[in-house]
Amino acid sequence: MDSKWLEDFLSLSRHGNFSLAARERCVSQPAFSRRVKALEETFGAPLFDRTTTPVTLTRYGERFESYARQVISTLKEAQREIAGMLPQTDNTIVMVSLHTLSINILPDMINYLHRAYPQVSFAVNACMQGIDNHFNALLNRQIDMLVTYDLLQAQPSLETAEHLKRTVWRYERFIPVMATPLLAQISDERSPIPWLRYSDYTFVQKIIAPAEQQVASRLKPVFESGLSESIREMVLRGMGLAWLPESMVAEELACGKLVQLWSDNKARQREIAIVIWCQRQENRPILNLCWEKLSRKSQG
């Protein structure tokens, strides 16, 4: 059983509404409903009466509620105790980010901090899946910093946000690029363009979709992936057009391997902020120093 299911149970018990509880738990309503259902299947009994408005606890749910509160309380007490045992001189900063950013942005950020504080070591945690899990990890102090795009779909709930602080690291542009030899094949304004697209579930696809819509009638899908580096490799092999982070293809653009299309058309480009999240109340001196360093750079 996943302990976050217990938090889900208590949230739904408190709100009596799946939508409100899902928002509080920083997860989509379908995902939240699946987690509640999984908890009920674990016990083999319905914990909520869904025929009432608001949703109410069944007799099984009423019986289980005190146990759920006790388990959550015990876990939080254990977290506080373990946190109090950790040395204040721990110089490891644990970071997590979206996959594209871990390749494209984190190395520069880590190098920037390491030059200022060479005693610091860094660990990049790429194990967690789902933005709600990332924010929960911040709240639970499993990680120190979260780096993500400033998207509506990548925001914490208002309740979670109260315990966090954020700063903008820099802005990233996604631009349409292709291998230079392929450019001659699409010189006709009506000719189809082979298109290397991001999977719909990715955050990057949500960012670049408005730019793609500008030329949607000409785009012919030939490849799909959820990974920027995979799409980049296909672009370099002359497979087609893709919107990629400008920082990821800067060298190839400079040497002429790749060319940017429609460079004078801002509607066919997308710019978005890259933000860093951290616990608002933090008692580790080195983490506070690193946060201040990152914040000063973003303000400068």
Side-chain angles (χ1 to χ4, degrees):
M1 183 192 303
D2 194 324
S3 63
K4 68 173 175 280
W5 295 354
L6 303 181
E7 298 274 14
D8 295 340
F9 169 84
L10 294 174
S11 179
L12 183 54
S13 174
R14 185 164 55 252
H15 290 289
N17 181 284
F18 275 87
S19 180
L20 292 176
R23 190 176 307 128
E24 179 181 75
R25 297 291 294 139
C26 302
V27 66
S28 68
Q29 185 172 331
F32 181 83
S33 297
R34 287 194 297 270
R35 283 167 24 175
V36 172
K37 187 64 175 176
L39 179 65
E40 291 177 317
E41 289 174 352
T42 298
F43 286 97
L47 301 177
F48 292 97
D49 183 353
R50 295 164 172 78
T51 66
T52 63
T53 303
V55 173
T56 57
L57 291 171
T58 63
R59 63 190 184 97
Y60 309 108
E62 290 174 350
R63 178 65 173 166
F64 176 63
E65 187 173 24
S66 61
Y67 288 105
R69 294 188 185 282
Q70 182 178 350
V71 170
I72 292 299
S73 176
T74 301
L75 285 174
K76 288 183 177 179
E77 182 179 350
Q79 287 173 345
R80 287 192 296 268
E81 183 175 342
I82 297 300
M85 295 168 61
L86 293 173
Q88 296 299 300
T89 56
D90 182 5
N91 285 339
T92 299
I93 304 297
V94 182
M95 308 174 82
V96 70
S97 74
L98 302 177
H99 185 80
T100 297
L101 296 175
S102 69
I103 296 169
N104 217 33
I105 300 299
L106 277 191
D108 284 343
M109 187 182 300
I110 290 172
N111 187 49
Y112 175 74
L113 291 173
H114 184 66
R115 290 200 307 269
Y117 307 112
Q119 75 275 27
V120 180
S121 62
F122 298 88
V124 177
N125 187 334
C127 297
M128 290 170 290
Q129 296 295 320
I131 196 67
D132 58 317
N133 289 335
H134 294 166
F135 283 115
N136 285 335
L138 266 181
L139 290 179
N140 296 332
R141 300 185 188 277
Q142 294 172 273
I143 62 174
D144 298 312
M145 293 184 184
L146 168 63
V147 184
T148 186
Y149 292 117
D150 192 18
L151 275 173
L152 180 62
Q153 297 88 344
Q155 301 292 324
S157 69
L158 291 177
E159 182 174 343
T160 299
E162 290 178 358
H163 304 286
L164 304 176
K165 53 188 176 183
R166 53 166 273 172
T167 189
V168 174
W169 167 247
R170 47 164 285 195
Y171 287 81
E172 179 70 282
R173 278 204 315 155
F174 285 81
I175 58 175
V177 296
M178 66 167 47
T180 302
L182 193 59
L183 188 60
Q185 300 180 25
I186 63 161
S187 56
D188 184 346
E189 287 294 326
R190 294 169 296 181
S191 61
I193 303 174
W195 176 34
L196 314 175
R197 70 183 305 270
Y198 285 88
S199 302
D200 288 333
Y201 65 83
T202 61
F203 281 118
V204 172
Q205 180 56 33
K206 293 175 175 60
I207 295 169
I208 65 178
E212 292 174 335
Q213 285 299 315
Q214 298 290 317
V215 289
S217 62
R218 295 185 63 190
L219 299 178
K220 178 184 177 183
V222 296
F223 179 77
E224 177 181 322
S225 175
L227 302 177
S228 291
E229 61 268 33
S230 175
I231 292 178
R232 174 182 175 274
E233 287 303 314
M234 299 302 280
V235 170
L236 289 171
R237 284 164 171 74
M239 286 290 294
L241 165 75
W243 274 260
L244 287 170
E246 188 173 21
S247 60
M248 180 179 277
V249 293
E251 292 184 11
E252 290 80 4
L253 289 170
C255 72
K257 285 184 180 180
L258 299 181
V259 62
Q260 178 183 348
L261 276 68
W262 312 301
S263 58
D264 58 344
N265 190 326
K266 299 297 184 184
R268 298 181 185 181
Q269 307 167 21
R270 296 290 289 170
E271 186 173 77
I272 190 165
I274 296 167
V275 296
I276 313 167
W277 295 87
C278 186
Q279 274 270 12
R280 187 174 295 278
Q281 300 296 328
E282 180 51 60
N283 56 6
R284 287 173 58 206
I286 192 62
L287 182 52
N288 285 327
L289 285 173
C290 287
W291 178 261
E292 291 169 8
K293 182 74 174 175
L294 293 171
S295 298
R296 285 197 301 271
K297 180 174 174 62
S298 66
Q299 294 166 6

